[in-house]
């Protein structure tokens, strides 16, 4: 680390105001604060300083996504070799998937961070930390065969119109990663739906359909409970393995970065809606979704990933303690409702979370108003 510090100190005079490369000051600052905690201090008042800042918190989230990323890379290779009926070992499957997923990560970070650095430099600000998480989320929630140019367009649109026009990180009203997926889903549906997109270079004889697609078509998911938990089936890169996602959730909760109230209420809302819909299964025997056990809804598709990494975004989630319970519960409820009752959107998690992002300020408003009324009532009784 001392070597890196010396290199950065050597470069610093050239990127400061008046230096030869001052146009790259924001980029330099982003790299500097990536490796080292900023040494800024307050000029007035009493404050406690520690070694934890926003970048450190964001890196915890990225680290929590690593298990899902590594499993997703292996699963991409495993699905490919399975489709062409070739037996491959663990390393061969992982290496194949690594080569397929890496370009998506590079494009996501390259385009997103490039835009953020340009905006920061034009405003004379530091580079915001938020895209460190979004840049990793985006590759994990898209099909492996998504063309890179489409990913680049969607990322650029989401960063500019989903974040920067509102003022950057901390000011966005929706999750940029989910906005990217929404843009891909509605603008380029052929790249986000169908059987072929979920497996890289699959054989034509292999269906490659996701469990949700099978259920939408009126068939059984074709997965055992163990297969649902492990996640070795077609789907978005980081969304299939419940085990990998659970490890990420444990990291977030142990470090205090993730909010357990939102996570718990999201899964509770999904389970309750699943149970309610199960009650109507006898009236609609042709709908396989209605008969799907509620607990299976929590394991397949993007539900678990959305409940751990998406709806818990601290910027777009509810801020009040009671509001967090309501926000998460309604998110899970709506996700399963859309998934089951709207065949056009077999995966309702994306739409449900985006919908709740919009309404989280309203939830907080009514929670605060309710608290004010309760305190006013207590004050009157005391008098």
């Amino acid at each position: 680390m001392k070597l890196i510090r010396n290199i950065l100190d050597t470069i610093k005079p050239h990127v400061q105001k008046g230096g030869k490369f001052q146009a790259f000051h924001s980029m330099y600052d982003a790299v500097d604060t990536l490796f080292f905690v900023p040494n800024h201090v307050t000029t007035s008042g009493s404050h406690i300083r520690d070694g934890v800042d926003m970048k450190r918190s964001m890196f915890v989230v990225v680290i929590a996504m690593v298990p899902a990323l590594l499993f997703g890379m292996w699963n991409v290779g495993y699905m490919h070799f399975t489709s062409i009926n070739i037996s491959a070992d663990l390393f061969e499957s992982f290496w194949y998937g690594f080569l397929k997923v890496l370009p998506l990560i590079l494009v996501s970070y390259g385009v997103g961070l490039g835009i953020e650095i340009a905006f920061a430099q034009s405003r004379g600000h530091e580079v915001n930390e938020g895209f460190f998480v979004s840049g990793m989320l985006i590759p994990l929630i898209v099909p492996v065969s998504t063309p890179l140019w489409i990913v680049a367009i969607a990322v650029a649109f989401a960063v500019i119109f989903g974040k920067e026009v509102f003022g950057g990180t901390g000011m966005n009203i929706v999750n940029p990663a989910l906005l990217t997926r929404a843009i891909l889903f509605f603008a380029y549906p052929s790249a986000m739906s169908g059987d072929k997109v979920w497996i890289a270079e699959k054989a034509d004889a292999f269906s490659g359909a996701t469990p949700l697609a099978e259920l939408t078509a009126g068939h059984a998911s074709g997965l055992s409970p163990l297969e649902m938990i492990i996640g070795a089936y077609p789907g978005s890169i980081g969304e299939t393995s419940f085990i990998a996602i659970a490890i990420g959730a444990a990291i977030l909760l142990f470090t205090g970065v993730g909010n357990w109230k939102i996570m718990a209420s999201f899964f509770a809302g999904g389970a309750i809606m699943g149970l309610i819909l199960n009650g109507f299964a006898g009236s609609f025997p042709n709908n396989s979704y209605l008969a799907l056990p509620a607990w299976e809804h929590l394991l397949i598709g993007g539900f678990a990933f959305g409940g751990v990494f998406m709806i818990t975004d601290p910027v777009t989630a509810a801020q009040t303690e009671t509001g967090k319970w309501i926000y998460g519960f309604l998110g899970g409820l709506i996700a399963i409702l859309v998934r089951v009752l709207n065949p056009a959107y077999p995966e309702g998690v994306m739409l449900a979370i985006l919908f709740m992002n919009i309404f989280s300020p309203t939830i907080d408003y009514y929670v605060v108003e309710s608290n004010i009324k309760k305190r006013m009532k207590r004050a009157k009784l005391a008098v």
Side-chain angles (χ1 to χ4, degrees):
M1 295 301 290
K2 186 176 180 180
L3 175 63
I4 297 175
R5 180 70 271 168
N6 291 336
I7 294 173
L8 292 172
D9 287 341
T10 303
I11 297 173
K12 187 174 182 178
H14 302 290
V15 296
Q16 289 182 324
K17 188 175 181 179
K20 186 177 181 180
F21 302 104
Q22 64 176 355
F24 297 96
H25 173 72
S26 294
M27 182 181 295
Y28 168 84
D29 183 74
V31 175
D32 190 356
T33 56
L34 180 67
F35 288 101
F36 301 97
V37 177
N39 59 356
H40 307 311
V41 296
T42 56
T43 57
S44 63
S46 300
H47 296 79
I48 297 175
R49 175 180 169 82
D50 62 18
V52 179
D53 64 354
M54 185 62 71
K55 274 192 177 68
R56 263 29 72 174
S57 298
M58 294 298 100
F59 271 121
V60 171
V61 181
V62 173
I63 291 171
M65 286 188 279
V66 168
L69 172 65
L70 296 179
F71 180 89
M73 289 178 172
W74 171 82
N75 193 41
V76 167
Y78 174 74
M79 286 288 103
H80 164 71
F81 289 117
T82 300
S83 73
I84 59 178
N85 199 27
I86 291 180
S87 178
D89 60 28
L90 177 66
F91 179 78
E92 288 174 326
S93 296
F94 177 81
W95 184 247
Y96 180 89
F98 173 82
L99 295 178
K100 289 294 182 180
V101 176
L102 182 61
L104 293 172
I105 297 175
L106 294 178
V107 168
S108 175
Y109 274 114
V111 174
L113 284 178
I115 293 173
E116 290 217 345
I117 289 172
F119 270 91
Q121 188 67 38
S122 65
R123 295 168 175 168
H125 294 169
E126 297 178 354
V127 176
N128 294 322
E129 299 87 353
F131 198 78
F132 284 113
V133 172
S134 298
M136 184 60 71
L137 281 172
I138 291 168
L140 294 182
I141 61 176
V142 299
V144 65
S145 65
T146 308
L148 297 180
W149 67 270
I150 292 181
V151 174
I153 292 175
V155 169
F157 186 93
V159 172
I160 295 173
F161 296 101
K163 269 184 62 175
E164 296 302 335
V165 296
F166 293 101
T169 300
M171 305 298 291
N172 49 293
I173 61 174
V174 295
N175 188 305
L178 276 178
L179 183 59
T180 301
R181 174 153 180 168
I183 294 166
L184 289 169
F185 185 86
F186 291 108
Y188 304 99
S190 61
M192 290 294 292
S193 59
D195 297 342
K196 292 185 178 180
V197 302
W198 307 108
I199 299 177
E201 302 172 7
K202 78 178 186 68
D204 291 336
F206 195 83
S207 71
T210 66
L212 298 181
E214 294 285 6
L215 289 163
T216 301
H219 308 140
S221 67
L223 299 176
S224 67
L226 182 60
E227 289 173 324
M228 293 179 189
I229 294 174
I230 294 174
Y233 58 81
S236 294
I237 295 168
E239 294 182 347
T240 62
S241 176
F242 187 84
I243 293 177
I245 295 168
I247 293 172
I251 294 173
L252 293 178
L253 294 176
F254 177 77
T255 56
V257 173
N259 189 281
W260 70 272
K261 295 178 182 178
I262 297 178
M263 287 188 198
S265 58
F266 183 80
F267 280 88
I272 289 174
M273 178 52 69
L275 291 172
I276 293 172
L277 294 173
N278 286 163
F280 294 92
S283 303
F284 301 93
N286 294 327
N287 191 327
S288 301
Y289 254 146
L290 289 174
L292 186 71
W295 61 268
E296 290 191 21
H297 275 294
L298 311 184
L299 300 181
I300 60 176
F303 190 89
F305 192 88
V308 172
F309 295 108
M310 293 294 191
I311 199 165
T312 53
D313 173 26
V315 175
T316 55
Q319 303 301 309
T320 59
E321 295 305 307
T322 302
K324 291 173 183 177
W325 288 105
I326 299 171
Y327 172 79
F329 183 80
L330 291 178
L333 209 73
I334 296 172
I336 302 303
L337 186 66
V338 174
R339 174 187 280 187
V340 175
L341 299 185
N342 193 332
Y345 306 110
E347 180 56 276
V349 176
M350 171 189 69
L351 295 177
I353 297 177
L354 286 174
F355 183 79
M356 294 310 302
N357 286 169
I358 300 297
F359 280 93
S360 62
T362 305
I363 293 172
D364 283 335
Y365 172 80
Y366 282 106
V367 169
V368 172
E369 286 296 305
S370 175
N371 289 338
I372 291 174
K373 290 179 180 178
K374 289 178 181 178
R375 291 184 180 185
M376 292 293 290
K377 187 176 180 179
R378 287 201 299 267
K380 289 180 181 179
L381 291 174
V383 174

